[in-house]
């Protein structure tokens, strides 16, 4: 499932590529036909991300809310070719000759697969496949969704104290609390495990056993990692001194994480074998040497 930095990148991309212009909305698959009709021909006026939710606002006062879930993905197409967000731009030989209709909007190619929603403007298109949620909501309905979410470290309105009030009273492990979107929004399996490693916190530690200072440091580090993810387009949590080649840029994918997907491999810091266990249906990774209780 995409983590919070991806949704903020998507919001920024939609603002740049679709903001301020008329958008044609359709549902090639048919499951979103009614919602598409409500925003078809409207102007995209603002974009927003909160945790793992993407909100696209239109001049009608309504919002398109998308939650990608485990299988959802956006694909974008323009004069530089078809690609997923963050993929390299196409080679010159692969670039598309765009065709426009009488309104100046791009005529995209025939949809491939089950496209839930297709958005088209004067410069390209965006296809959405497999989301867990895709709906048009009012301002009040959007706010109701956000009221159920915890603070998002990437948002200017984030209040770490709100999350701390829940964490500091809970007997639940910090590893489980970090995955609760009503506690802190946008954190997924990778950021959860990697941030706890970087903080030297045993994942089994009850929330109420953390000190306020350790929570503040954990929050600040999560915010820093998420901002890096927005900038880089993928998750890098290792510090330069813990990589085989500290000066390698971009960071090779095998060297980008401390514990995730490295079960049994030696810890990059203490050489202990990385451990893994199931926690609420997700695999939790940690280092028994660096993250002692």
């Amino acid at each position: 499932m995409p983590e919070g930095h991806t949704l903020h990148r998507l919001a920024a991309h939609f603002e740049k590529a679709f903001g301020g212009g008329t958008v044609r909305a359709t549902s090639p698959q048919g499951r979103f036909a009614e919602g598409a009709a409500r925003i078809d021909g409207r102007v995209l006026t603002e974009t927003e991300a909160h945790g793992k939710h993407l909100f696209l606002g239109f001049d009608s006062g309504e919002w398109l809310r998308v939650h990608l879930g485990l299988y959802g993905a956006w694909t974008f197409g323009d004069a530089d070719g078809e690609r997923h967000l963050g993929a390299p731009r196409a080679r010159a030989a692969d670039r598309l000759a765009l065709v426009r209709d009488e309104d100046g909007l791009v005529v995209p190619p025939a949809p491939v697969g089950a496209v839930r929603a297709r958005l088209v403007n004067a410069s390209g298109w965006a296809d959405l496949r497999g989301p867990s949620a895709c709906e048009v909501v009012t301002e009040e309905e959007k706010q109701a969704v956000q009221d159920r979410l915890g603070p998002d470290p990437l948002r200017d309105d984030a209040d770490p104290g709100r999350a701390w009030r829940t964490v500091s009273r809970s007997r639940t492990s910090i590893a489980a609390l970090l995955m609760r979107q009503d506690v802190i929004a946008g954190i997924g399996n990778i950021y959860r495990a990697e941030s706890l490693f970087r903080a030297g916190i045993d994942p089994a530690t009850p929330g109420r056993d953390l000190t306020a200072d350790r929570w503040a440091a954990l929050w600040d580090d999560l915010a820093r990692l998420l901002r890096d993810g927005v900038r880089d387009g993928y998750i890098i949590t290792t510090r330069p001194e813990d990589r085989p080649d500290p000066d390698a840029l971009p960071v090779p994918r095998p060297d980008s994480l401390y514990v995730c997907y490295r079960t049994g491999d030696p810890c990059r810091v203490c050489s202990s074998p990385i451990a893994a266990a199931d926690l609420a249906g997700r695999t939790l990774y940690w280092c028994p040497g660096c993250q002692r209780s």
Side-chain angles (χ1 to χ4, degrees):
M1 183 183 296
E3 304 207 26
H5 74 287
T6 299
L7 278 301
H8 283 266
R9 283 174 59 84
L10 280 166
H13 184 79
F14 271 105
E15 176 66 27
K16 179 180 179 181
F18 287 82
T22 299
V23 175
R24 176 170 296 144
T26 59
S27 179
Q29 180 193 56
R31 292 181 57 186
F32 181 60
E34 182 179 344
R38 289 168 62 180
I39 59 175
D40 183 39
R42 294 294 185 175
V43 175
L44 181 66
T45 57
E46 56 185 313
T47 67
E48 189 176 337
H50 191 147
K52 300 183 181 184
H53 296 255
L54 172 69
F55 298 97
L56 304 180
F58 293 87
D59 61 354
S60 61
E62 294 186 305
W63 295 79
L64 172 62
R65 180 182 78 90
V66 173
H67 190 294
L68 294 175
L70 288 172
Y71 305 108
W74 285 98
T75 300
F76 297 90
D78 59 21
D80 287 317
E82 188 171 325
R83 65 195 186 279
H84 293 279
L85 181 65
R89 302 189 76 81
R91 300 171 300 171
D94 297 330
R95 291 178 181 171
L96 306 176
L98 295 181
V99 178
R100 291 182 171 83
D101 63 15
E102 63 275 10
D103 297 322
L105 301 183
V106 168
V107 179
V112 176
V115 177
R116 182 77 58 85
R118 166 170 277 188
L119 304 181
V120 180
N121 71 351
S123 61
W125 70 91
D127 284 351
L128 174 65
R129 298 175 177 84
S132 64
C134 175
E135 62 175 348
V136 176
V137 298
T138 64
E139 179 70 36
E140 293 74 19
E141 290 168 331
K142 168 182 175 285
Q143 189 59 53
V145 171
Q146 293 182 276
D147 288 344
R148 296 193 295 268
L149 297 172
D152 177 342
L154 283 172
R155 291 175 58 93
D156 293 338
D157 60 3
D159 176 12
R162 176 184 166 194
W164 171 241
R165 286 190 288 274
T166 300
V167 170
S168 63
R169 296 194 296 261
S170 179
R171 294 184 175 88
T172 302
S173 71
I174 186 60
L177 289 168
L178 287 179
M179 293 288 281
R180 279 180 44 183
Q181 296 301 297
D182 63 333
V183 175
I184 179 169
I187 304 305
N189 203 39
I190 299 177
Y191 281 122
R192 179 260 301 268
E194 295 293 311
S195 63
L196 289 175
F197 174 87
R198 286 167 58 97
I201 296 174
D202 181 347
T205 303
R208 66 180 188 176
D209 288 354
L210 285 183
T211 64
D213 287 344
R214 294 200 83 182
W215 168 254
L218 180 62
W219 172 277
D220 290 344
D221 195 46
L222 275 167
R224 185 180 306 110
L225 292 174
L226 284 160
R227 288 194 297 268
D228 290 347
V230 173
R231 179 196 65 207
D232 299 327
Y234 71 102
I235 301 174
I236 303 170
T237 63
T238 50
R239 300 178 175 94
E241 61 268 24
D242 295 327
R243 301 174 196 143
D245 184 353
D247 300 320
L249 292 174
V251 177
R253 291 298 179 96
D255 303 333
S256 62
L257 301 175
Y258 278 109
V259 293
C260 279
Y261 315 121
R262 300 190 64 241
T263 307
D265 291 346
C267 173
R268 300 186 190 278
V269 176
C270 75
S271 298
S272 298
I274 299 300
D278 180 79
L279 178 64
R282 304 298 298 275
T283 302
L284 171 66
Y285 303 90
W286 76 99
C287 171
C290 293
Q291 296 172 263
R292 297 175 183 271
S293 58

